[in-house]
């Protein structure tokens, strides 16, 4: 049996669960931000800064950032293994899939680090 080393948890069930849990976290974060925007009249920079300066919001935002990274990785892995196949690309499929996954992984890591710098730099 061949083991694919680029999937998130080596199990389709765990990847499915990770993507669903991360989607719930992202939905909760989005709904919170939309509710905050909706119920805050005349939102100023000071109020916005105060919201994101609180430890609770920083932790919630960090959780959302981790959830976004997990969600994106599982989705990218699923798409790349479904569509970048030898049937579609021939003998170069493995190389193309690896390069695609490596580029996506590097981009996701860079965006994650950038997000942490923005979040904790307030």
């Amino acid at each position: 049996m061949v083991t694919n080393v680029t999937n998130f948890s080596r199990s389709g069930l765990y990847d499915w669960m990770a993507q669903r849990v991360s989607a719930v976290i992202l939905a909760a974060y989005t709904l919170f931000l939309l509710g905050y925007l909706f119920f805050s009249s005349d939102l100023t920079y000071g109020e916005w800064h105060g919201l994101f300066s609180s430890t609770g919001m920083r932790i919630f935002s960090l959780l959302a950032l981790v959830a976004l990274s997990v969600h994106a990785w599982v989705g990218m892995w699923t798409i790349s293994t479904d569509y970048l196949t030898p049937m579609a690309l021939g003998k170069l499929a493995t190389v193309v899939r690896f390069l695609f996954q490596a580029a996506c992984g590097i981009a996701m890591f860079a965006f994650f680090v950038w997000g942490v710098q923005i979040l904790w730099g307030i």
Side-chain angles (χ1 to χ4, degrees), residues 26 28 69 79 87 91 107:
L26 291 170
S69 298
I79 289 170
M87 182 181 272
K91 294 178 183 180

Side-chain angles (χ1 to χ4, degrees), residues 35-45 47:
Y36 188 82
L37 289 172
F38 183 73
F39 291 112
S40 297
S41 60
D42 298 329
L43 188 63
T44 64
Y45 173 78
E47 292 171 354

Side-chain angles (χ1 to χ4, degrees), residues 78-86 88-89 97:
T78 302
I79 289 170
S80 67
T81 56
D82 284 351
Y83 296 107
L84 302 178
T85 63
L89 301 174
R97 185 173 51 248

Side-chain angles (χ1 to χ4, degrees), residues 15-109:
D15 287 348
W16 183 85
M17 286 296 294
Q19 196 164 45
R20 290 340 179 248
V21 169
S22 65
V24 170
I25 292 169
L26 291 170
Y29 188 75
T30 301
L31 290 174
F32 173 80
L33 285 179
L34 288 174
Y36 188 82
L37 289 172
F38 183 73
F39 291 112
S40 297
S41 60
D42 298 329
L43 188 63
T44 64
Y45 173 78
E47 292 171 354
W48 194 249
H49 185 270
L51 173 66
F52 281 93
S53 293
S54 69
T55 303
M57 189 60 187
R58 285 183 176 184
I59 292 171
F60 192 26
S61 295
L62 185 61
L63 179 64
L65 199 55
V66 169
L68 181 63
S69 298
V70 168
H71 196 86
W73 180 263
V74 173
M76 177 279 309
W77 182 86
T78 302
I79 289 170
S80 67
T81 56
D82 284 351
Y83 296 107
L84 302 178
T85 63
M87 182 181 272
L89 301 174
K91 294 178 183 180
L92 292 177
T94 303
V95 172
V96 170
R97 185 173 51 248
F98 174 77
L99 292 174
F100 174 76
Q101 290 176 349
C104 288
I106 290 168
M108 283 186 272
F109 178 75

